[in-house]
Amino acid sequence: MCELYSKQDTLALRRKHIGPSCKVLYAADPIKIVRAQRQYMFDEKGERYLDCINNVAHVGHCHPEVVKAALKQMEVLNTNSRFLHDNIVEYAKRLAATLPEQLSVCYFTNSGSEANDLALRLARQFRGHPDVVTLEHAYHGHLSSLIEISPYKFRKGKDVKKEFVHVAPAPDIYRGKYRENHADPASAYADEVKKIIEEAQNRGRKIAAFIAESMQSCGGQIIPPAGYFQKVAEYVRGVGGVVIADEVQVGFGRVGKHFWSFQMHGKDFVPDIVTMGKPMGNGHPMACVVTTKEIAEAFSSSGMEYFNTYGGNPVSSAVGLAVLDVIENEDLQGNATRVGTYLTELLNRQKAKHTLIGDVRGVGLFVGIDLVKDRQKRTPATAEAQHVIYKMKENRVLLSADGPHRNVLKIKPPMCFTEEDAKFMVDQLDGVLTVLEEAIGAQTESVVPENTPCRTKMPKEAPSELLSDGTPDPKENPGQKRNRLCADKPSLLSKRLKT
């Protein structure tokens, strides 16, 4: 691949011309990627990296069928959706067929942020008031309307929560308010939403919508307990609100057994509005809002036309159709189930070996590894997580860390990820954790009961390499700077979603 500039020149030009708030992955030692294929990315030297984090290249980087579909349509026509064209209606029909029957009306956009912004407009127009219930650590996009409802981006001491925004506890049964030993965490977390609604009503507020990712991504790969969304929907709809399911990160078969993550929660839970984006175009910018006919008609009754110049254009629709075809033809949902199950099994074996691993959670090819300094206290191992992702990069494996403490390793690779890839990734992680635990004096007994105190202690003077690789400033809010880039106890598993 021909380069315009050397890596250092590219970095210098980026610093000069690209906004400083636009961060790069592995800021201490960025990678210059020049090409990619399926689940692999290649730097300017030809070094190959296993991509474990790119849920945008959903069916694989540069998939030939997707590339061919884009090129074929681009050679013929690309224009806006005000002209009649078969691609947009064919794609809308195919998309609606993957959803419950009542979710049948599509609005096409170019990004998940646009989709979530439009979802808020639909809900507010439908109900006539602005108030939204969101979850702590949630992230729904970069537009002003979405930063307002994204506590993940709130800056401590600087952002004042708007009076129409109500933040409920994240339904996290590992680190949250109600944990795996609670008799009914789903009801307990849903009751928190009910309480917030009642308090808002007592102040004269009216709830328009509840919005949540079907599985929280930036919040730390959180899998809500079974029954949570049904109860929340009951409370929200009971006061006239609607439920918005944000599937931007987790849709299109990533969970394996279901095409949409909200479907894991049972047929008795159907959102009123669903948003989608990232994987939809396999890297081509496209997104969508799907809702009911009733909500769409209420939006139209405002008298304001909705027009998105590029949303649903012929090329985007052709790309979207190709992605759907590849998911089906290559059985990528089945692959997500098979490889995801195998990957989780491998990671649980590592949990039994490494005291730094506090929790392994996930569904399909959406997995989180919660690193802790102390299993009993569940103290987040933030510096250790940053060290791990840099060392994994040296081993040609790309991971990222997220969550409110930046201690959760996120695994959400292209859906063509194989069992061989999973084994390679876990083997590299095993090696990195082994060296790290030795360096910081961790106990490394192979069997560590959950009820036995098992602490990972940082030495008074930690190895310089541990704390130099992107360790966050303790004064900095995690939401401001992110590196975007042992089997569970039966009681914990029973509280998690059965899929």
Side-chain angles (χ1 to χ4, degrees):
M1 175 65 72
C2 181
E3 296 179 78
L4 292 176
Y5 307 103
S6 69
K7 179 178 176 179
Q8 289 307 311
D9 286 347
T10 300
L11 190 57
L13 285 167
R14 182 180 176 105
R15 288 170 177 162
K16 180 177 180 180
H17 295 297
I18 306 300
S21 57
C22 301
K23 305 297 183 183
V24 294
L25 284 165
Y26 308 103
D29 182 25
I31 308 173
K32 184 176 183 180
I33 295 296
V34 298
R35 69 183 182 92
Q37 193 70 39
R38 294 181 64 80
Q39 65 270 47
Y40 302 107
M41 305 182 84
F42 300 84
D43 68 13
E44 80 283 7
K45 297 177 182 178
E47 293 286 350
R48 189 179 81 170
Y49 294 83
L50 177 61
D51 182 359
C52 299
I53 57 176
N54 210 319
N55 61 336
V56 176
H58 190 63
V59 301
H61 291 280
C62 305
H63 194 288
E65 293 302 316
V66 178
V67 173
K68 183 169 65 175
L71 178 60
K72 182 179 178 180
Q73 181 58 51
M74 196 173 289
E75 287 179 329
V76 177
L77 171 71
N78 201 22
T79 186
N80 66 63
S81 60
R82 280 198 174 116
F83 295 97
L84 281 178
H85 195 275
D86 289 344
N87 283 9
I88 186 172
V89 294
E90 176 64 12
Y91 186 59
K93 184 181 76 172
R94 289 273 302 276
L95 199 59
T98 68
L99 290 156
E101 186 178 359
Q102 56 267 53
L103 294 168
S104 60
V105 183
C106 301
Y107 295 88
F108 291 103
T109 66
N110 308 292
S111 71
S113 290
E114 282 189 16
N116 280 330
D117 176 76
L118 178 56
L120 290 182
R121 287 179 60 191
L122 289 167
R124 287 165 170 165
Q125 173 64 28
F126 185 57
R127 289 311 181 199
H129 16 269
D131 289 42
V132 174
V133 179
T134 186
L135 296 178
E136 62 183 354
H137 315 313
Y139 175 66
H140 294 291
H142 61 80
L143 300 181
S144 296
S145 63
L146 303 172
I147 295 297
E148 291 174 345
I149 63 164
S150 296
Y152 176 88
K153 287 290 186 180
F154 289 177
R155 297 170 300 169
K156 292 180 180 178
K158 294 183 179 181
D159 288 327
V160 178
K161 182 173 68 66
K162 301 292 192 295
E163 62 179 352
F164 56 81
V165 177
H166 312 276
V167 181
D172 178 357
I173 65 171
Y174 178 72
R175 194 178 293 285
K177 185 175 182 179
Y178 307 107
R179 299 185 175 184
E180 71 273 8
N181 57 357
H182 191 281
D184 187 1
S187 294
Y189 278 116
D191 285 345
E192 292 284 338
V193 176
K194 181 181 180 182
K195 181 181 177 182
I196 285 171
I197 292 172
E198 290 172 346
E199 290 175 349
Q201 287 184 307
N202 290 338
R203 297 195 308 272
R205 312 293 309 184
K206 294 182 179 180
I207 303 298
F210 168 86
I211 185 170
E213 291 181 279
S214 303
M215 299 187 296
Q216 209 172 38
S217 181
C218 291
Q221 310 294 87
I222 304 303
I223 316 298
Y228 171 72
F229 280 122
Q230 283 91 334
K231 291 180 172 65
V232 168
E234 178 186 344
Y235 299 146
V236 172
R237 289 167 179 159
V239 295
V242 301
V243 176
I244 302 170
D246 181 343
E247 292 269 339
V248 171
Q249 296 254 22
V250 296
F252 289 89
R254 179 157 294 275
V255 298
K257 291 184 180 179
H258 303 281
F259 200 82
W260 304 105
S261 295
F262 74 80
Q263 292 170 325
M264 295 188 306
H265 301 274
K267 292 183 179 180
D268 57 339
F269 172 63
V270 178
D272 303 289
I273 302 171
V274 177
T275 60
M276 54 198 75
K278 292 186 187 301
M280 192 171 180
N282 207 54
H284 182 89
M286 59 185 302
C288 186
V289 180
V290 185
T291 189
T292 64
K293 185 176 181 181
E294 183 184 12
I295 291 175
E297 288 178 347
F299 188 57
S300 179
S301 70
S302 69
M304 182 185 296
E305 177 191 7
Y306 177 76
F307 173 63
N308 188 310
T309 303
Y310 299 109
N313 68 72
V315 171
S316 294
S317 298
V319 166
L321 285 165
V323 170
L324 292 181
D325 287 341
V326 173
I327 292 172
E328 181 178 354
N329 295 339
E330 298 185 7
D331 188 28
L332 294 185
Q333 279 186 252
N335 189 66
T337 298
R338 291 185 295 272
V339 178
T341 299
Y342 178 66
L343 173 61
T344 303
E345 289 173 355
L346 293 179
L347 290 173
N348 277 323
R349 292 176 199 166
Q350 294 302 312
K351 181 185 174 188
K353 180 179 180 180
H354 296 290
T355 60
L356 275 167
I357 299 179
D359 191 32
V360 174
R361 52 183 177 261
V363 184
L365 287 175
F366 181 86
V367 180
I369 308 169
D370 201 310
L371 298 187
V372 297
K373 296 181 181 182
D374 182 317
R375 279 192 178 175
Q376 194 172 52
K377 296 180 180 179
R378 305 184 182 186
T379 310
T382 300
E384 291 84 348
Q386 301 309 305
H387 174 80
V388 167
I389 63 175
Y390 273 84
K391 287 300 180 182
M392 290 292 281
K393 177 180 74 86
E394 290 179 12
N395 293 345
R396 305 297 184 258
V397 177
L398 303 182
L399 287 176
S400 65
D402 222 323
H405 307 287
R406 296 181 67 201
N407 69 305
V408 180
L409 304 181
K410 298 202 301 186
I411 304 172
K412 45 187 182 61
M415 295 274 282
C416 52
F417 202 72
T418 67
E419 290 187 356
E420 291 76 17
D421 296 325
K423 181 68 164 57
F424 177 76
M425 188 274 288
V426 174
D427 284 347
Q428 301 309 306
L429 180 63
D430 180 23
V432 169
L433 290 177
T434 297
V435 173
L436 176 57
E437 288 177 336
E438 290 174 354
I440 59 181
Q443 298 176 10
T444 55
E445 286 79 4
S446 60
V447 179
V448 185
E450 285 281 347
N451 58 359
T452 301
C454 191
R455 297 173 177 80
T456 299
K457 296 181 180 178
M458 292 289 291
K460 292 182 180 179
E461 292 185 6
S464 58
E465 65 171 2
L466 173 64
L467 296 178
S468 63
D469 292 340
T471 303
D473 183 340
K475 298 179 182 178
E476 181 180 43
N477 175 32
Q480 289 178 263
K481 183 177 181 181
R482 300 277 174 175
N483 188 340
R484 289 278 180 220
L485 187 57
C486 336
D488 286 315
K489 293 171 66 178
S491 61
L492 193 157
L493 282 175
S494 67
K495 295 296 191 292
R496 291 238 172 90
L497 233 47
K498 308 289 187 185
T499 59

